Each structure stands twice: as structure tokens, then as C-alpha cells.
């Protein structure tokens, strides 16, 4: 299978600042309105993760594909013992480091620049999340197994659903125009891949155009 990671890393590196503006709303009124309408599930999945992860005080947390660090800083501010963000795009990690510093939680956060596929670590995490991540992964099973090997308590993930009206729009815009491959998944496929990696699926909910899955190691 072709490794698309160089294109994915380049794409996210180039648009890191623009991506974070979806969270800050630092754009025109029309841009904000479009985000609220077209990207509503970006906000919904954030709320879903914060609700499902429960009381994070004292926990070790890992965010795979942490992007600009919005989840990392929220977990840290909510009292996590330590939060590790992993991402392939240096510009995203720079934003994430600035954000946790600005929020005064840099002491409990660290960041690793790598594809999770190549991450060699002995660390274990109570909670691992991979949100807005599987959209860009050709072959999830190997990365899921790596995530399983570092996760002791809970794994929260979001998967873009196959055949919503957004799917052809994103395929054309992201893959054919902007050069970043993007993938979509069916529910049975998502559940099977997560189970095959060694997790028990607690719930798989439709959140906007996503499947949001709460899983526990077996
Ligand atoms: C849409 S952004 C989501 C960022 C963050 N999770 C959020 O929801 O705000 C996807 C991020 O995943 C990162 N990424 C994609 N594939 C990756 C991989 N194999 N390993 C680590 N990071 C990856 C990209 O660089 C990008 O920052």
C-alpha cells in the first residue's frame, strides 16, 4: 500500500494556521458562519471527547494527530497528570506548544513529531484519542495496533462516514485539488478494525458526519 504520509504532513503543515482558526473563529463573519454550518462536527466531536473522557484529573493522556493542541490544552487545564501530543506536522506542533504555554499548562504537556506508525515508546496512557485523524490514513490496522499497545484504559476515535454528502465534496477539494488523500469508512468496517486491534467497542455513535467510537482494551 502506498505511503501517503509525506503528502498528508505537507498539507497539514501548510494549513496549520487556517485549521486552528476553526477553533478561534479568528476569521470573517461569513467564514465563521460557514464553519458553524459545514464543520459543525468539529465542535461536536470536541464536546463528545470531553464528555466521554469524564474526569481526567491525574490521568496520563495521549492525543494522536493532536494538530494545534486544542484537546491537549483542554485535558491539561482539566487536571490531567500529563498529556502527550503526537503529530507529523511541525507547524501544527508549534501552534500546540504556543497554545499550552499561553494557557500555562506547558509543564504537564509534551509533544512528539512522528507518524504514530513509527513511534517507539514504552509509555502507557489511561486515555488515548485519535480525532480528525483516520480521514488521512490509508490502512488503519497497523496504526490501531500501535495505539492499542500504548492504551490501558480508554480509546476515543472519530471516523468520517462513507457516503454522506460531504464525502464527494471533501474528496474533490482535499484530494483532487489540494493533494491530501482522504478516506471514509462504513460502521461495520470501523468496528471490526477496532476490535481486531484488541479493543472492545463500548459505543459507536453517529455525530454529524462522523462515527465516534468509545473503546476499551480487552
Ligand atoms: C484535521 S487535523 C486534527 C487535529 C486535532 N486532532 C483536532 O481535531 O483538532 C489532523 C492532524 O493529524 C495529523 N496526522 C495525520 N496523519 C498522522 C499520522 N499518521 N501520525 C501523526 N499525525 C498525523 C496531521 O498532521 C494533522 O495535524
Amino acid at each position: 500500500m502506498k505511503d501517503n504520509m509525506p503528502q498528508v504532513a505537507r498539507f497539514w503543515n501548510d494549513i496549520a494556521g487556517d485549521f486552528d482558526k476553526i477553533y478561534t473563529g479568528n476569521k470573517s463573519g461569513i467564514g465563521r458562519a460557514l464553519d458553524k454550518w459545514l464543520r459543525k462536527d468539529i465542535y461536536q466531536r470536541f464536546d463528545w471527547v470531553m464528555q466521554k473522557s469524564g474526569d481526567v484529573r491525574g490521568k496520563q493522556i495521549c492525543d494522536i494527530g493532536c494538530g494545534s493542541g486544542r484537546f491537549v490544552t483542554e485535558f491539561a487545564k482539566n487536571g490531567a497528570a500529563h498529556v502527550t501530543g503526537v503529530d507529523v506536522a511541525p507547524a501544527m506542533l508549534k501552534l500546540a506548544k504556543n497554545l499550552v504555554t499561553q494557557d500555562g499548562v506547558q509543564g504537564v504537556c509534551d509533544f512528539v513529531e512522528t507518524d504514530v506508525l513509527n513511534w517507539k515508546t514504552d509509555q502507557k496512557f489511561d486515555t488515548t484519542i485519535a480525532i480528525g485523524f483516520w480521514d488521512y490514513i490509508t490502512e488503519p490496522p497497523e496504526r490501531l495496533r500501535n495505539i492499542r499497545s500504548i492504551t490501558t484504559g480508554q480509546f476515543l476515535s472519530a471516523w468520517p462516514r462513507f457516503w454522506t454528502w460531504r464525502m464527494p465534496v471533501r474528496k474533490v477539494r482535499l484530494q483532487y485539488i489540494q493533494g491530501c488523500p482522504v478516506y471514509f469508512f462504513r460502521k461495520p468496517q470501523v468496528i471490526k478494525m477496532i476490535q481486531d486491534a484488541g479493543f472492545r467497542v463500548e459505543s459507536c455513535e453517529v455525530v454529524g458526519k462522523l462515527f465516534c467510537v468509545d473503546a476499551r482494551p480487552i
Side-chain angles (χ1 to χ4, degrees):
M1 190 61 72
K2 195 170 168 290
D3 177 22
N4 289 320
M5 248 335 107
Q7 286 126 276
V8 173
R10 202 175 322 120
F11 174 77
W12 286 108
N13 213 48
D14 289 350
I15 67 146
D18 285 339
F19 175 77
D20 193 54
K21 288 181 184 163
I22 299 171
Y23 289 104
T24 60
N26 189 10
K27 50 172 76 174
S28 70
I30 292 176
R32 277 198 303 277
L34 284 174
D35 281 352
K36 282 211 175 97
W37 173 40
L38 296 172
R39 299 189 163 121
K40 192 171 163 200
D41 49 22
I42 292 194
Y43 312 115
Q44 290 173 314
R45 73 192 189 194
F46 184 90
D47 293 342
W48 179 84
V49 167
M50 293 308 150
Q51 188 246 319
K52 283 283 173 187
S53 53
D55 184 359
V56 296
R57 280 175 298 176
K59 288 194 175 166
Q60 303 282 334
I61 300 184
C62 183
D63 183 354
I64 303 291
C66 67
S68 53
R70 294 285 156 183
F71 292 76
V72 172
T73 202
E74 188 72 8
F75 284 132
K77 287 192 291 187
N78 289 343
H82 197 88
V83 192
T84 298
V86 175
D87 205 287
V88 280
M92 281 289 198
L93 291 175
K94 195 170 169 203
L95 287 175
K97 284 175 197 166
N98 287 343
L99 180 64
V100 297
T101 304
Q102 186 188 305
D103 286 349
V105 289
Q106 71 278 17
V108 294
C109 300
D110 76 322
F111 295 94
V112 185
E113 186 187 318
T114 183
D115 178 346
V116 64
L117 188 61
N118 307 321
W119 190 27
K120 306 272 176 280
T121 180
D122 295 330
Q123 282 175 270
K124 301 285 178 208
F125 300 92
D126 301 301
T127 302
T128 307
I129 70 167
I131 304 295
F133 173 83
W134 302 105
D135 317 39
Y136 314 101
I137 304 296
T138 330
E139 279 289 287
E142 232 182 311
R143 289 179 176 86
L144 277 169
R145 280 194 295 275
N146 281 8
I147 289 172
R148 170 65 189 89
S149 72
I150 60 169
T151 307
T152 56
Q154 183 180 35
F155 171 48
L156 299 173
S157 56
W159 303 74
R161 287 157 56 208
F162 197 88
W163 231 205
T164 64
W165 66 264
R166 280 279 279 162
M167 179 178 132
V169 176
R170 290 185 77 202
K171 260 286 182 214
V172 171
R173 191 173 58 82
L174 278 181
Q175 186 156 333
Y176 302 130
I177 300 177
Q178 294 179 294
C180 178
V182 60
Y183 306 96
F184 300 86
F185 304 88
R186 293 184 163 90
K187 186 171 176 176
Q189 178 193 11
V190 169
I191 291 179
K192 184 169 185 325
M193 286 190 299
I194 293 177
Q195 286 174 338
D196 287 351
F199 290 103
R200 184 182 76 248
V201 171
E202 290 279 306
S203 65
C204 176
E205 294 164 50
V206 171
V207 175
K209 314 240 167 350
L210 308 168
F211 293 120
C212 286
V213 184
D214 179 0
R216 312 292 155 100
I218 294 168

